[in-house]
Amino acid sequence: MKFIIATIKPFKLEEVREALTAIGVRGMMVSEVKGFGAQSGHTEIYRGAEYAVNFVPKVKLEIAVTDSMSEQVVSTIAQTAQTDKIGDGKIFVLDLESALRVRTGETNEDAL
Ligand SMILES: Nc1ncnc2c1ncn2[C@@H]1O[C@H](COP(=O)(O)OP(=O)(O)O)[C@@H](O)[C@H]1O
Ligand SMILES: [Mg+2]
């Protein structure tokens, strides 16, 4: 299993969620975060406002997936979240050691 952590522009959340649901993703975590990337000292437009500060609002997605779905999930997020402007975000893929569905006791892929 893989654990995918992605940051996207907040206005892209609904479109990304729909695209992921369409390819069979059944659960995810979503949080509002702030961050910066390579342009940390520069400005980035967010909803028309210029942030001359280091931290820009982003949405973080965390998704546990089977190995076989991992690449498709990454490419779907990448295609859907892309605006071609700076700050489109990043996607990290980690090995996931185990998963447990608390209600049933199912483990690993059965728990996703
Ligand atoms: N090296 C990193 N480690 C962790 N999170 C990062 C990293 N780089 C970027 N991020 C996260 O991704 C968001 C978007 O980064 P982005 O501006 O698209 O990257 P870059 O400017 O490097 O191309 C940042 O606001 C931050 O939340
Ligand atoms: Mg950037």
Side-chain angles (χ1 to χ4, degrees):
M1 296 172 294
K2 301 289 185 192
F3 195 72
I4 297 169
I5 303 173
T7 48
I8 63 172
K9 288 179 168 161
F11 82 93
K12 281 287 188 180
L13 174 60
E14 201 48 37
E15 199 182 332
V16 170
R17 186 194 61 74
E18 279 169 23
L20 290 175
T21 303
I23 63 165
V25 169
R26 282 182 295 183
M28 68 182 73
M29 297 185 235
V30 178
S31 353
E32 294 177 1
V33 299
K34 290 179 184 174
F36 64 87
Q39 296 85 20
S40 56
H42 295 219
T43 58
E44 188 179 313
I45 303 294
Y46 172 70
R47 288 196 173 157
E50 225 180 342
Y51 278 72
V53 294
N54 284 341
F55 296 105
V56 180
K58 300 288 172 188
V59 163
K60 179 173 73 169
L61 305 176
E62 293 168 291
I63 311 168
V65 297
T66 60
D67 286 338
S68 62
M69 276 198 64
S70 177
E71 277 183 31
Q72 198 188 1
V73 168
V74 170
S75 61
T76 298
I77 296 170
Q79 283 161 26
T80 314
Q82 187 169 25
T83 69
D84 286 332
K85 303 211 171 71
I86 60 170
D88 273 355
K90 286 194 183 157
I91 305 172
F92 305 108
V93 180
L94 290 65
D95 286 324
L96 179 60
E97 198 169 287
S98 71
L100 169 68
R101 176 176 280 122
V102 171
R103 176 175 57 88
T104 58
E106 291 164 290
T107 57
N108 300 332
E109 294 198 357
D110 291 335
L112 299 182

